[in-house]
């Protein structure tokens, strides 16, 4: 149910002369209606005044069925249609009213309003002129003259818009069309023309807005749905493109261009959805292959190449393939320097490669474009900690392994270096002292990197063996002398050393 005041307000502001309907007196004798029709009309009038539009419409339907020559029934039904926003349904009823009662100026004036909104300027002018010749009231005369002037102005502006379009002056054409469409809001052809101008001027989203309106204003407008779908496709929005081309095929399943486009969009959509599912499952190599197929399937639309490379960059970064990630992410950033996703993924790859300054720069650039992103903030803090840490002791560098090295690689590197730098290998006192220091660093690196908890702390930029980086720490538990490391077993996989290893 709609509030009565809302109905009156809507009718009064949009169609001022339609208010005459609510107070229109029933003319039973003139219309020759029976008692049942009169009952439907009176009840419908009360329901309309109360804002019960659907119930009022039912009563006026019954009145029209009961007396097909009753102009009041048609006029009141037209009022309800307009109150419900159904101008297309109201227009035939107003035309029927005029056929049945030629001097009903309120109906003719109202039809002129609707025709003007539809952009049917010649027909609208004809109605307004006939109102002026039919002994109108003072208000009706004033309104008809005003609308005639407005209609003439729209004729002139539309002519200028068409001339500008023919001359390829699309900006001027848009300016003229803007003014016309403020009045002729339901003119589907002019909206399609302005959409074409927007396309020529490289503003596809504005074109889509006009074409969507045109698809509703004109019945079976397959051309509008086809254009909307192709525009979404070129913007890289494959899901909306698929949705719109399906609307075209609902209207005409044999539409050749829509069907051909549908097959292409469906294939691309399937590849992209499959790739995203693989990413969710952590199957980054397979996802990369799918996105490579996307680029092969649609090589002519750059948006799909950029988005595919952006996701491949993400896959390489997550799969800890930093060299490949940096290469692909950099390609994306050459095309889109402000691409936050590519900046984040390249920064993560830089961290793996221990290129901390570069990682910090990427995180800071990303933060400029998305300052509320927690992932960027945390990444930047981590990169800054790791940079600071790298200027001290870096356990990965000590063992000569990558930051993503497996535990087996760490143990293998430790054993090799422990044998190489064991102080017993050195006779010269100065060399022995140097080897002792080196050996202690090697043992410390193995201790931290082979322990998952300690390694995670170190990877987050905190040295678990550095008292300064421990909150409330009470000294370095690993600051031990060479004597404490005698009797080690470099081939042990961890834990306390059990026996001495002697060199000959």
């Amino acid at each position: 149910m709609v509030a009565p005041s809302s109905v009156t307000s809507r009718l009064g502001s949009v169609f001022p002369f339609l208010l005459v309907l609510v107070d229109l007196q029933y003319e039973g004798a003139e219309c020759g209606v029976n008692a049942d029709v009169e009952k439907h009309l009176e009840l419908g009038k009360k329901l309309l005044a109360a804002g019960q539009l659907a119930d009022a419409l039912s009563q006026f339907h019954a009145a029209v069925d009961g007396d097909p020559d009753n102009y009041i029934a048609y006029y009141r039904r037209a009022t309800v249609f307009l109150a419900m926003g159904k101008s297309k349904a109201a227009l035939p009823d107003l035309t029927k009213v005029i056929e049945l009662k030629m001097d009903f100026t309120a109906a003719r004036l109202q039809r002129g309003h609707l025709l003007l909104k539809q952009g049917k300027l010649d027909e609208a002018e004809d109605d307004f002129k006939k109102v002026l010749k039919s002994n109108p009231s003072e208000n009706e005369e004033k309104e008809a003259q005003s609308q005639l002037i407005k209609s003439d102005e729209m004729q002139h502006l539309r002519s200028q818009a068409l001339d500008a379009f023919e001359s390829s002056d699309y900006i001027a054409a848009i300016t003229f069309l803007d003014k016309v469409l403020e009045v002729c809001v339901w003119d589907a052809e002019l909206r399609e023309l302005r959409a074409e101008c927007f396309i020529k001027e490289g503003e596809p989203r504005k074109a889509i807005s006009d074409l969507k309106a045109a698809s509703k204003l004109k019945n079976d407008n397959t051309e509008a749905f086809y254009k909307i779908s192709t525009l979404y496709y070129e913007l890289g929005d494959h899901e909306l493109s698929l949705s719109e081309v399906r609307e075209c095929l609902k209207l005409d399943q044999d539409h050749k261009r829509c069907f051909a486009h549908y097959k292409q969009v469906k294939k691309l959509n399937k590849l992209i959805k499959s790739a995203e599912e693989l990413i969710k499952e952590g199957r980054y190599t397979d996802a990369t292959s799918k996105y490579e197929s996307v680029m092969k399937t649609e090589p002519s639309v750059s948006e799909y190449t950029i988005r595919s490379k952006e996701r491949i960059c993400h896959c390489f970064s997550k799969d800890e393939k930093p060299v490949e990630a940096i290469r692909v992410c950099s390609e994306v950033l050459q095309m889109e320097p402000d691409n936050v996703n590519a900046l984040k993924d390249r920064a993560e790859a830089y961290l793996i490669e221990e290129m901390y300054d570069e990682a910090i720069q990427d995180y800071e650039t990303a933060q400029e474009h998305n300052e509320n992103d927690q992932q960027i903030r945390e990444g930047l803090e981590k990169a800054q900690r790791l940079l600071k840490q790298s200027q001290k002791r870096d356990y990965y560098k000590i063992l000569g392994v990558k930051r993503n090295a497996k535990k087996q690689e760490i143990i293998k590197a430790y054993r090799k270096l422990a044998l190489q730098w064991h102080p017993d290998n050195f006779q010269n006192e100065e060399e022995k002292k140097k080897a002792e220091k080196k050996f202690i660093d090697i043992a410390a690196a193995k201790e931290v990197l082979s322990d998952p908890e300690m390694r995670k702390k170190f990877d987050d930029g905190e040295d678990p063996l550095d008292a300064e980086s421990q909150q409330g720490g009470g000294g370095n538990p690993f600051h031990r002398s060479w004597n404490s490391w005698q009797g080690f077993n470099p081939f042990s996989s961890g834990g306390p050393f059990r026996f001495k290893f002697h060199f000959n």
Side-chain angles (χ1 to χ4, degrees):
M1 175 176 172
V2 180
S5 59
S6 173
V7 175
T8 306
S9 175
R10 187 189 308 175
L11 296 176
S13 61
V14 182
F15 307 112
F17 285 87
L18 205 57
L19 288 178
V20 69
L21 169 67
V22 179
D23 297 322
L24 192 66
Q25 296 300 311
Y26 169 60
E27 301 175 28
E30 183 178 342
C31 296
V33 296
N34 57 40
D36 286 339
V37 171
E38 179 181 354
K39 183 179 176 181
H40 288 308
L41 287 172
E42 288 302 314
L43 182 55
K45 177 181 173 182
K46 289 177 181 177
L47 290 167
L48 173 59
Q52 297 176 250
L53 302 181
D55 293 336
L57 187 61
S58 297
Q59 295 299 323
F60 294 139
H61 280 324
V64 168
D65 292 340
D67 185 359
D69 294 327
N70 189 316
Y71 74 90
I72 295 176
Y74 286 107
Y75 191 64
R76 289 185 176 172
R77 188 169 70 175
T79 306
V80 180
F81 280 136
L82 289 171
M84 298 173 82
K86 298 179 179 180
S87 59
K88 285 184 181 179
L91 197 57
D93 275 359
L94 291 171
T95 298
K96 186 67 176 178
V97 172
I98 294 167
E99 288 176 4
L100 293 169
K101 190 169 178 61
M102 298 288 289
D103 61 347
F104 196 165
T105 55
R108 192 178 291 279
L109 189 58
Q110 191 52 57
R111 188 175 70 172
H113 275 287
L114 294 179
L115 293 170
L116 183 60
K117 286 178 180 291
Q118 290 181 346
K120 297 177 181 179
L121 301 180
D122 291 335
E123 294 176 48
E125 286 182 8
D126 183 61
D127 269 343
F128 296 137
K129 287 176 181 177
K130 285 181 177 176
V131 167
L132 293 174
K133 294 177 181 177
S134 62
N135 193 29
S137 68
E138 184 179 344
N139 285 338
E140 288 173 339
E141 181 179 4
K142 186 178 179 180
E143 181 65 15
Q145 287 174 340
S146 171
Q147 293 303 308
L148 267 176
I149 294 170
K150 186 181 291 185
S151 180
D152 184 63
E153 182 185 356
M154 294 305 106
Q155 292 273 28
H156 182 61
L157 287 169
R158 183 165 65 177
S159 178
Q160 287 178 301
L162 293 172
D163 289 343
F165 182 82
E166 290 298 321
S167 303
S168 301
D169 188 353
Y170 304 115
I171 293 176
I174 290 169
T175 302
F176 293 129
L177 289 168
D178 285 346
K179 293 176 181 177
V180 177
L181 286 167
E182 285 178 7
V183 176
C184 306
V185 291
W186 300 331
D187 192 324
E189 283 75 18
L190 290 187
R191 287 195 177 275
E192 288 174 340
L193 181 63
R194 188 169 67 175
E196 198 62 35
C197 293
F198 282 135
I199 292 169
K200 297 288 187 182
E201 285 300 306
E203 297 189 80
R205 294 200 180 277
K206 289 184 178 180
I208 288 171
S209 179
D210 268 342
L211 288 168
K212 281 191 171 183
S215 70
K216 295 174 182 176
L217 292 168
K218 188 191 294 185
N219 292 330
D220 301 330
N221 198 343
T222 54
E223 188 64 22
F225 284 116
Y226 173 73
K227 284 185 177 180
I228 294 168
S229 179
T230 56
L231 287 171
Y232 273 133
Y233 185 79
E234 288 165 9
L235 287 168
D237 201 329
H238 52 95
E239 291 182 335
L240 283 175
S241 177
L242 187 61
S243 174
E244 295 295 334
V245 77
R246 280 174 173 156
E247 292 299 318
C248 174
L249 292 172
K250 283 180 187 177
L251 296 173
D252 181 2
Q253 61 182 5
D254 297 321
H255 195 290
K256 289 184 178 180
R257 286 185 298 164
C258 280
F259 186 68
H261 185 59
Y262 169 74
K263 288 195 295 183
Q264 172 70 2
V265 183
K266 187 179 179 183
K267 181 180 180 181
L268 200 70
N269 190 60
K270 186 177 179 181
L271 281 170
I272 293 171
K273 280 192 170 183
S274 176
E276 288 302 310
E277 284 298 319
L278 290 168
I279 289 175
K280 287 180 182 178
E281 295 169 9
R283 296 167 59 186
Y284 299 115
T285 301
D286 293 336
T288 296
S289 178
K290 287 286 183 185
Y291 271 116
E292 286 171 349
S293 297
V294 169
M295 291 190 285
K296 290 176 184 176
T297 301
E298 184 46 88
S300 59
V301 179
S302 61
E303 189 66 24
Y304 293 104
T305 300
I306 296 171
R307 296 286 79 80
S308 294
K309 287 191 173 184
E310 179 187 318
R311 298 306 280 160
I312 290 171
C313 146
H314 177 73
C315 289
F316 281 141
S317 182
K318 290 297 180 185
D319 209 19
E320 295 189 341
K321 295 179 178 177
V323 175
E324 294 90 336
I326 291 168
R327 173 178 56 80
V328 179
C329 292
S330 297
E331 290 176 9
V332 174
L333 290 165
Q334 281 182 341
M335 295 180 280
E336 292 183 347
D338 301 333
N339 188 310
V340 172
N341 291 328
L343 285 165
K344 289 195 293 186
D345 286 323
R346 188 171 71 172
E348 288 185 22
Y350 278 142
L351 288 181
I352 296 172
E353 285 291 282
E354 301 172 18
M355 300 169 68
Y356 305 123
D357 287 318
E358 289 83 351
I360 289 170
Q361 185 176 346
D362 273 358
Y363 277 129
E364 286 177 341
T365 303
Q367 197 170 50
E368 288 173 8
H369 300 289
N370 193 347
E371 60 183 20
N372 296 321
D373 190 315
Q374 186 177 350
Q375 188 182 6
I376 295 173
R377 187 166 56 253
E378 290 175 353
L380 178 58
E381 290 171 358
K382 179 179 178 180
Q384 290 168 338
R385 286 196 305 269
L386 289 171
L387 176 61
K388 185 178 179 182
Q389 183 188 81
S390 70
Q391 295 163 350
K392 296 180 180 179
R393 181 165 56 174
D394 188 329
Y395 297 126
Y396 290 103
K397 284 185 178 179
I398 290 170
L399 294 183
V401 296
K402 292 283 187 183
R403 295 191 78 89
N404 59 348
K406 305 296 182 186
K407 185 174 181 178
Q408 293 88 339
E409 297 175 65
I410 290 166
I411 298 297
K412 183 179 178 182
Y414 158 70
R415 286 171 175 167
K416 180 180 176 182
L417 290 169
L419 288 173
Q420 178 184 344
W421 288 98
H422 194 287
D424 287 354
N425 289 337
F426 301 89
Q427 302 304 318
N428 181 282
E429 193 62 33
E430 190 175 329
E431 289 180 350
K432 187 183 286 285
K433 285 183 179 180
K434 180 181 177 182
E436 286 178 4
K437 184 179 183 305
K438 186 81 173 176
F439 185 84
I440 289 171
D441 285 343
I442 292 165
K446 182 257 185 186
E447 182 78 5
V448 170
L449 299 184
S450 61
D451 182 286
E453 188 176 338
M454 294 175 76
R455 183 176 180 179
K456 185 178 184 307
K457 284 185 178 181
F458 185 75
D459 286 344
D460 288 337
E462 177 186 335
D463 188 344
L465 303 184
D466 184 356
E468 291 182 7
S469 69
Q470 305 294 307
Q471 290 183 356
N476 188 344
F478 224 97
H479 281 179
R480 309 176 191 173
S481 66
W482 156 242
N483 293 330
S484 65
W485 291 105
Q486 289 184 326
F488 77 103
N489 177 5
F491 295 98
S492 168
S493 61
F497 301 131
R498 297 185 180 85
F499 55 85
K500 286 190 177 183
F501 186 88
H502 296 284
F503 290 86
N504 295 323

